[in-house]
């Protein structure tokens, strides 16, 4: 496990990175989607950054347990496990999760500060259309790199559509459970969705960190990693660090530290953290970011 994280960090220094914000905004309405059921809402928006197309589902193929449970129940436990398995096999980089607000048909969610490398340049996002038999919205393997890998895409937006997971035969929002032999995932072009878009995903480029900029941050070292409670940030070149932020693997910010850049070392106490994997983001005053995985034992 330690070898994997060591290799990941070495690879990331040879690439440019880009940071984006993602905002899903729904437009679920009676005109485009036949009707709106009572208690209309969405499950958490969940997903992953990854490197292989169709890593978590593919149109025409049978849904995984994670996609099935998300689409039928709004339960993301199995999907979370699938993403973590992909992370452990170096196929994915981050698990993402964010609730939608308000609890209604018209709602929104924002995932902020999501970092991509040239290796992990795809994003997949899903959320249950609730209530429904097994319907979900999806952005599948959206590529943040330009054609022929010529750089990072500027800010843009894409339409979001509804898909049938193929694990329940129900034909309306509140149809009773109708277990079937699973069929392939498909876009819903018939009633009640009518093939219309149900929302928009806005992708906003926040920053790009080039190879030369990344090299200047290599002097910042973190140790020990894994740690049993305290981690030291070594800043021997006194790079102007604005903030050090630590996120858990749900993407939630759990700590912010402001270092004294006049000193060459800065300690952070993580003894109250649960055991697991975290992401540390070191942000400089000129907008550069170094992100590294850390393990708390």
């Amino acid at each position: 496990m330690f070898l994997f994280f060591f290799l990941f960090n070495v690879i990331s220094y040879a690439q440019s990175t880009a940071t984006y914000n993602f905002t899903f905004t729904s437009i679920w309405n009676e005109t485009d989607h036949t009707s709106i059921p009572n208690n209309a809402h969405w499950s958490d928006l969940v997903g992953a950054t990854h490197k292989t197309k169709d890593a978590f589902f593919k149109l025409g193929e049978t849904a995984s347990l994670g996609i099935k449970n998300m689409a039928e129940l709004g339960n993301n436990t199995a999907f979370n496990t699938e993403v973590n398995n992909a992370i452990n096999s170096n196929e994915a980089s981050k698990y993402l999760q964010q609730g939608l607000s308000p609890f209604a048909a018209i709602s929104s969610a924002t995932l902020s500060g999501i970092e991509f490398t040239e290796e992990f340049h795809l994003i997949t996002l899903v959320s249950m259309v609730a209530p429904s038999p097994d319907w979900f919205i999806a952005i599948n393997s959206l590529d943040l790199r330009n054609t022929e890998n010529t750089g990072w895409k500027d800010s843009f937006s894409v339409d979001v559509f509804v898909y049938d997971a193929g694990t329940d035969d129900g034909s309306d929002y509140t149809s009773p459970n109708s277990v079937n032999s699973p069929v392939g995932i498909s876009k819903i072009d018939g009633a009640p969705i009518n093939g219309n878009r149900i929302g928009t995903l806005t992708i906003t480029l926040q920053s790009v960190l080039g190879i030369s900029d990344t090299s200047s941050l290599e002097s910042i070292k973190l140790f020990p990693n894994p740690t049993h409670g305290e981690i030291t940030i070594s800043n021997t070149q006194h790079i102007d660090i604005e903030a050090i932020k630590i996120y858990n693997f749900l993407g939630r910010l759990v700590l912010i530290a402001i270092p004294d850049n006049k000193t060459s070392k800065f300690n952070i106490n993580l003894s109250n953290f649960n055991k697991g994997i975290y992401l540390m983001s070191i942000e400089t005053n000129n907008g550069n970011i170094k992100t590294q995985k850390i393990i708390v034992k």
Side-chain angles (χ1 to χ4, degrees), residues 234-292:
S234 173
N235 183 16
T236 56
Q237 294 187 14
H238 300 284
I239 293 172
D240 200 3
I241 299 173
E242 183 177 77
I244 296 171
K245 300 178 182 179
I246 298 180
Y247 300 83
N248 64 23
F249 251 79
L250 294 178
R252 294 191 175 95
L253 180 65
V254 294
L255 184 146
I256 298 178
I258 308 299
D260 180 358
N261 294 314
K262 295 178 182 179
T263 64
S264 60
K265 289 184 180 180
F266 179 78
N267 296 326
I268 297 179
N269 187 355
L270 307 180
S271 60
N272 62 336
F273 279 35
N274 293 327
K275 294 180 180 180
I277 303 171
Y278 295 83
L279 290 175
M280 177 179 286
S281 175
I282 300 175
E283 303 177 5
T284 67
N285 284 334
N286 62 2
N288 292 335
I289 299 174
K290 173 181 177 177
T291 301
Q292 184 167 334

Side-chain angles (χ1 to χ4, degrees), residues 141-251:
S141 304
L142 180 65
D143 196 343
L144 278 305
R145 298 286 290 173
N146 287 316
T147 306
E148 297 180 355
N149 204 29
T150 56
W152 296 100
K153 291 181 179 177
D154 291 328
S155 300
F156 64 105
S157 63
V158 294
D159 291 335
V160 178
F161 296 93
V162 180
Y163 298 86
D164 189 323
T167 57
D168 188 299
D169 281 338
S171 59
D172 203 355
Y173 296 115
T174 56
S175 295
N177 288 339
S178 179
V179 179
N180 65 353
S181 296
V183 296
I185 297 170
S186 61
K187 181 172 174 285
I188 300 178
D189 290 321
I193 304 299
N194 306 316
N196 294 319
R197 69 187 182 101
I198 203 167
T200 301
L201 185 71
T202 301
I203 300 96
T204 306
L205 177 62
Q206 297 296 298
S207 64
V208 174
L209 183 60
I211 294 174
S212 60
D213 295 325
T214 308
S215 298
S216 68
L217 293 176
E218 286 188 28
S219 64
I220 299 177
K221 305 296 183 183
L222 314 179
F223 60 89
N225 189 18
T227 178
H228 288 282
E230 187 171 78
I231 196 161
T232 298
I233 292 86
S234 173
N235 183 16
T236 56
Q237 294 187 14
H238 300 284
I239 293 172
D240 200 3
I241 299 173
E242 183 177 77
I244 296 171
K245 300 178 182 179
I246 298 180
Y247 300 83
N248 64 23
F249 251 79
L250 294 178

Side-chain angles (χ1 to χ4, degrees), residues 72-132:
E72 290 186 3
L73 307 171
N75 185 315
N76 300 311
T77 302
F79 182 73
N80 188 352
T81 297
E82 291 170 2
V83 173
N84 285 333
N85 288 340
I87 291 171
N88 290 336
S89 62
N90 202 30
E91 288 297 325
S93 177
K94 301 177 185 70
Y95 174 73
L96 308 172
Q97 183 165 347
Q98 180 62 52
L100 277 83
S101 181
F103 190 86
I106 303 300
S107 190
S108 66
T110 296
L111 294 159
S112 300
I114 309 304
E115 186 181 85
F116 296 80
T117 67
E118 292 179 29
E119 181 179 19
F120 299 98
H121 57 98
L122 305 175
I123 185 170
T124 290
L125 296 170
V126 294
S127 173
M128 177 190 181
V129 177
S132 73

